[in-house]
């Protein structure tokens, strides 16, 4: 099957402008070029991308006729986001402390909007004659729903399995290494429910995505036409610019890999196809079209690097961001967008045919 | 000038993860300081490794907080600050300074 | 009349994408989401909006055949900007000190470019068959002319009625409340005329607007066509992004409302329709078309939060920006763009028919 | 080294509304300091309430000015600075420091 | 010949929106308006412009059929960039110290991408019926190749002619004037070859330009179509915004002119047409079309203000950036884009006809 | 608290061209400090004239580096720093401070 996979999809993906700019960013960083896009440019670009994908998703959602299958997809998405952290946590606990394992679990249960967008871009550029090869607007809703449950589950796991507060907390897996007396200590229990809720559901990225989705549902065709020249037409070009920066950031994160260990890197590489395969199986079970199946695979296989880190820093400050951000941004993201997406689609094509 | 031209104060300087600035400011406020200044988008390196805001995840951003503290409330400030630093890392430096009143 | 107003205009306005994004920003801020667009993104967006509106206005100005009425409109605009601060000042002096009253007066005499742009956007989205329902290019010129006179009048009022310099200045209406000895003291008299002129007429926003208007007048159709894909097509979409930020900022200002008092809030709410009604009456007297009448109403009813605050901080530093910025940005602006614009148009439709 | 390795200086630190930075710098310059550093986009809280640059009105932005002042010109600096602070608010802190000359 | 030059080209250029915004920026700065575009807006705009010009150049390069002449152009471009610094250095040494002369030499041997883009914009807006009046995609490649050689030559010159390290270095041409003991001293020899290479060839601007050019070569027509609404359509409008900022920055640099001396300003003014004329002659010799000839003239006549300053600060820190940045940004750039470009084209038209 | 609540440190503050920050940080690191903080996009004025980042050439940007240095390694820091300052300009100030340990 896969070993007989047509390599043209892979090549097609690697020739997409956005992917090439990602590679350019990675190469520039590895060659130690001084190229960078300082804050708040990446913030502007990512808010733009979230607005645009949300708005378009909302407009598409209203256009399509919803049936029961849509709700099944949304339910599956939420279930995924809540369940993935559980097994991830228990698996990672073999090698990491409670806090780091919980943060990694939340990271891998949640999703990466840019991976989703890149997959969408890939589908679009295929210009496939079969309309089943486009993603439905409700997949954006599915994405929006998958951001937060993993955060809640991750924090709950961190609390349930936290070391009793009197004992010295787990040794910090940090990169510095000063006197242990200066270490942060088990404090997950101190964050109240309201703050946790706010972090999980009111993170800026989540708000823009869900808000734009809702706005897209109500503005109607005339409203959409009026903002399309900004919200739709330049979208693929802006994605190039954003992925250039992602390439720079991802490659610069790599220097932290050494301190993370081969075991963890292995997890970050393997979890993507494993979870994606699970997503594909669920999509098959629900009878989704290939386009939607790819999106579900990508959501399942991707890991968060915006909403989850923000929440984890507040809710589980003992966890080391150099671990979970490096894994999701430096390993899983590149694997997914360069190789993952076309391979997942090849599997779907093979299975669906 | 109706007042003393200079006032002895303690100059407090805290470097901490951008996300925890609110916690520090709340502490300062509760301790009764009458002002503070925050500089954002600092980078740095310490126990937790290098912190360089990457602009994507927003994770590795530090902030610098500067506060001229009345010696009388210094005790409360230190007491309030310790648990925050303990929990979230960061650095707090104290020195002597004179406030040019006007 | 108004109580029989067709509510469809109001709904139409609230369904505009830009207004919905404003509401999204407001809701996000009220829910204490961490969403924000850091500097200099808002600056970039506002320079873009001013350039685009100025350029388009200039192009339209050259296209239209100017007659005497245009000059009457421009004259009325300047007169408005200079006269509104006078009565505003004497009214507000009942409750505020001289400096704050003068700063508020300048704020409400001047205009808000984004309110103007939003009204324009609203008119555009109506797709009204009658060409009288579009704003003429000279209305942009009117807007540009209205930014500065209010500043000059406001500063003159502050000086004329300032407390004599030897006495202790009015107690600072601030929010902190330290020893009065540290208070800023009556110093309006120290700013020389040159600096005042520079602040009033050379503020960045004023320069970009007037400069772009002049450039729009000379580039001709070919020049306009060459920049249209940037300066016109994405305009409505960019406005969405900017209003998202305006919503965040306006709602976050609201926490300062408590310290301002109901009286002042009442002024900020009521002054908008009152001045707008005055604008409508003048428009009627000048025989303007409904589109231009709406724009004049909006200019009259809106309050500045860019050019005036910058000037006031220099020229009347004793005035408290937490008062005048909060009122114009947190109260008058939202009132105008959500309810004001459609109501003003309903009144115009009723009167003109 | 042909010079003394360290020189005693006064370390002056001013926090003030971004709009008034020019006034402070002019004062420093006139008093004869030989350099200064300005950090923009600071936020803060003080007598005038919270100052957080909102990006729209540009109003609530602070700046931090750092200046190593020769003790000899310190007197002029303080004299020049007071009216500016008086008029525009802000904070000025003074402390002792050593300049690592080279 | 030139004294009979048709002034319409000059007027045509001065009516281009981009040039008018440059003038607006200059006027605003001279009137001491507070208008400014803070970092990182200019960075975002310049990365956008480089990406867009590179991508488009790559696409055009693949479209055209390359013949030997293209390689001749590229070779001439590299030779220019390497040779110009040599005579510039020896000429400037009459008035400047070694370090400053070498930095100026590198600055004037290298190129200004925005001047190139402005010339391209000018050609485009002419809508000339003759296809020879458009620039070939390989001219973008020529530009990319001209960025770096001048840097290498400049640094080599600084080292070869550096004062022996024991003696006190040349007096610093700075604007402050403190005890000479605090001065930076001849240290060019300390930078190793690797760092020099990285600065010369891996500067952010160079990487984006060359990377985008290569990406443009491989994405094909379909890839180009997908990013065109961002990378091509708004290009001329974005250039307006960028030139507005260039006008502000260039005019604010002018205050440093006083300390530079009339001699140096004369050089900055005259070197543009002299080197451009040389470029035109070479273009004539190679039998290029008028459009390509104009681009070569502009590359030869322009001076760098991004890649070279970054490299010189590292490699020749004794050189004073207030000299070389002021000259290239404050003098040569405005001369080229306002008067130079149309005059060069007039000369080309006269010679080619 | 198992430790002394305060530790005497030297507070080092360096202002230097953004391009040379790496060189300073390397020096600090080699001297054995255990952390530092960097604030970017400062402007200033000194021997080399006014330095105001213009956003186009990127040339005139300063950075502020703050470092709490153990008195024991202070000697190495100063020794390492001098040649960097000598070559690239900039200012280094030293003062006394107390680190609020936790
Ligand atoms: N010795 C130090 N001097 C100055 N800043 C420091 C020092 N140690 C740590 N920091 C700052 O404090 C932040 C958090 O420190 P840490 O919790 O030790 O990682 C670092 O990223 C630095 O910005
Ligand atoms: N005690 C303080 N410590 C540090 N910064 C202060 C202090 N008081 C005021 N500031 C700063 O100075 C600015 C202006 O102060 P004020 O004029 O008191 O509002 C505030 O916004 C703060 O950034
Ligand atoms: N006396 C001073 N106080 C504070 N900062 C200074 C002082 N002198 C120089 N600087 C800063 O150090 C930078 C480089 O100094 P210089 O090498 O003297 O031009 C300047 O741009 C200022 O930001
Ligand atoms: Na996932
Ligand atoms: Na008004
Ligand atoms: Na050149």
């Amino acid at each position: 099957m896969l070993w007989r996979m047509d390599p043209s999809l892979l090549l097609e993906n690697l020739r997409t402008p956005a992917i090439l700019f990602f590679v350019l960013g990675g190469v520039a960083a590895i060659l130690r070029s001084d190229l960078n896009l300082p804050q708040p440019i990446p913030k502007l670009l990512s808010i733009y991308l979230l607005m645009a994908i949300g708005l378009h998703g909302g407009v598409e959602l209203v256009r399509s006729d919803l049936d029961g299958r849509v709700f099944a997809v949304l339910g599956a998405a939420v279930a995924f986001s809540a369940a993935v952290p559980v097994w991830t946590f228990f698996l990672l606990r073999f090698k990491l402390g409670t806090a780091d394992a919980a943060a990694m679990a939340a990271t891998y249960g949640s999703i990466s909007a840019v991976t989703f967008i890149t997959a969408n871009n890939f589908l679009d550029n295929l210009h496939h004659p079969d309309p089943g090869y486009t993603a439905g607007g409700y997949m954006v809703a599915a994405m929006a729903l998958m951001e937060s449950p993993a955060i809640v589950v991750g924090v709950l796991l961190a609390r349930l399995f936290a070391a009793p507060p009197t004992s010295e907390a787990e040794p910090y897996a940090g990169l510095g290494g000063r006197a242990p007396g200066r270490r942060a200590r088990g404090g997950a229990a101190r964050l109240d429910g309201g703050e946790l809720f706010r972090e999980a559901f009111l993170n800026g990225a989540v708000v823009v995505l869900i808000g734009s989705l809702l706005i897209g549902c109500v503005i109607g065709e005339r409203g959409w036409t009026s903002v399309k020249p900004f919200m739709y037409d330049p979208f693929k070009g802006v994605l190039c610019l954003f992925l250039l920066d992602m390439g720079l950031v991802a490659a610069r994160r790599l220097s932290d890999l050494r301190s993370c260990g081969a075991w963890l890197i292995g997890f970050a590489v393997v979890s993507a196809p494993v979870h994606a395969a699970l997503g594909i199986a669920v999509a098959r079970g629900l009878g989704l079209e290939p386009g939607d199946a790819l999106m579900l695979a990508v959501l399942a296989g991707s890991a968060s690097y915006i909403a989850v880190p923000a929440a984890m820093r507040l809710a589980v400050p003992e966890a080391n961001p150099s671990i979970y951000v490096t894994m999701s941004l430096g390993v899983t993201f590149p694997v997914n967008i360069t190789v993952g997406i076309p391979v997942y689609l090849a599997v779907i094509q093979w299975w669906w045919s | 000038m109706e007042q003393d031209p200079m006032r002895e104060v303690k100059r407090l300087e805290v470097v901490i993860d951008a996300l925890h600035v609110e916690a520090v400011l709340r502490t300062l406020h509760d301790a009764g300081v009458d002002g503070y200044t925050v500089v954002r988008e600092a980078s740095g390196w310490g126990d937790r490794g290098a912190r360089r805001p990457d602009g994507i995840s927003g994770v590795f951003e530090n902030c610098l907080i500067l506060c001229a503290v009345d010696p009388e409330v210094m005790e409360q400030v230190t007491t309030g600050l310790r648990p925050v630093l303990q929990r979230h890392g960061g650095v707090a430096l104290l020195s002597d300074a004179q406030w040019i009143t006007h």
Side-chain angles (χ1 to χ4, degrees), chain A residues 156-216:
Chain A
L156 291 180
L157 287 169
R159 287 186 193 184
L160 282 175
F161 294 87
T166 45
S167 85
E168 193 73 8
E170 72 213 63
Y172 190 79
L175 309 167
R178 216 176 308 181
R182 263 189 75 212
R183 288 278 46 88
R185 262 161 264 189
R190 289 202 225 151
L191 192 82
D192 61 86
E195 239 179 295
L196 172 60
F197 174 86
R198 201 159 62 238
E199 267 314 305
F201 296 96
L202 293 176
N203 177 279
V206 178
V207 166
V208 169
L209 185 61
I210 294 187
S212 304
L213 189 74
L214 294 177
I215 291 174

Side-chain angles (χ1 to χ4, degrees), chain A residues 15-236:
Chain A
R15 268 187 67 197
T16 314
I19 302 299
L20 288 167
F21 275 103
F22 179 76
V23 172
L24 175 60
V27 169
I30 288 167
L31 294 177
R32 297 210 280 135
S33 163
D34 64 353
L35 179 61
N36 81 324
L37 276 89
Q39 262 304 27
I41 299 175
K43 180 133 200 183
L44 171 64
L45 298 180
S46 77
I47 288 180
Y48 168 81
L49 293 176
L50 291 170
M51 271 176 92
I53 195 88
L55 214 51
H56 191 206
V59 170
E60 290 287 344
L61 200 59
V62 172
R63 276 180 192 160
S64 66
D65 23 69
L66 300 178
D67 56 13
R69 224 165 39 195
V70 166
F71 294 99
V73 173
L74 299 184
V78 172
F80 246 109
S81 174
V84 167
V86 179
W87 62 74
T88 304
F89 176 74
F90 288 109
L91 179 66
L92 290 174
R93 277 251 289 181
F94 285 112
K95 289 281 173 179
L96 296 175
T98 304
D100 285 327
M104 282 286 287
T107 302
Y108 279 83
S110 186
I111 55 92
S112 147
V114 180
T115 310
F116 180 91
I117 288 168
T118 308
N120 208 3
N121 192 31
F122 171 68
L123 272 184
D124 232 57
N125 286 351
L126 282 183
H127 296 283
H128 203 288
D130 177 354
Y133 277 79
T134 53
Y138 46 88
M139 291 313 294
V140 178
M143 168 168 71
L145 292 178
M146 287 178 78
E147 294 249 33
S148 312
I151 295 175
V152 175
V153 174
V155 174
L156 291 180
L157 287 169
R159 287 186 193 184
L160 282 175
F161 294 87
T166 45
S167 85
E168 193 73 8
E170 72 213 63
Y172 190 79
L175 309 167
R178 216 176 308 181
R182 263 189 75 212
R183 288 278 46 88
R185 262 161 264 189
R190 289 202 225 151
L191 192 82
D192 61 86
E195 239 179 295
L196 172 60
F197 174 86
R198 201 159 62 238
E199 267 314 305
F201 296 96
L202 293 176
N203 177 279
V206 178
V207 166
V208 169
L209 185 61
I210 294 187
S212 304
L213 189 74
L214 294 177
I215 291 174
C217 290
V218 301
I219 53 172
E221 290 297 326
R222 221 164 65 190
W224 175 237
T225 307
S226 76
V227 298
K228 217 165 148 275
F230 178 68
M231 295 292 186
Y232 184 76
D233 299 342
F235 187 81
K236 291 178 184 177

Side-chain angles (χ1 to χ4, degrees), chain A residues 172 178 183-184 187 305 313, chain B residues 17 47-48 55 57 59 86-87:
Chain A
Y172 190 79
R178 216 176 308 181
R183 288 278 46 88
Y305 42 80
R313 281 190 298 156
Chain B
D17 184 330
D47 280 13
R48 284 149 204 258
S57 71
V59 167
Q86 220 161 336
R87 185 164 150 73

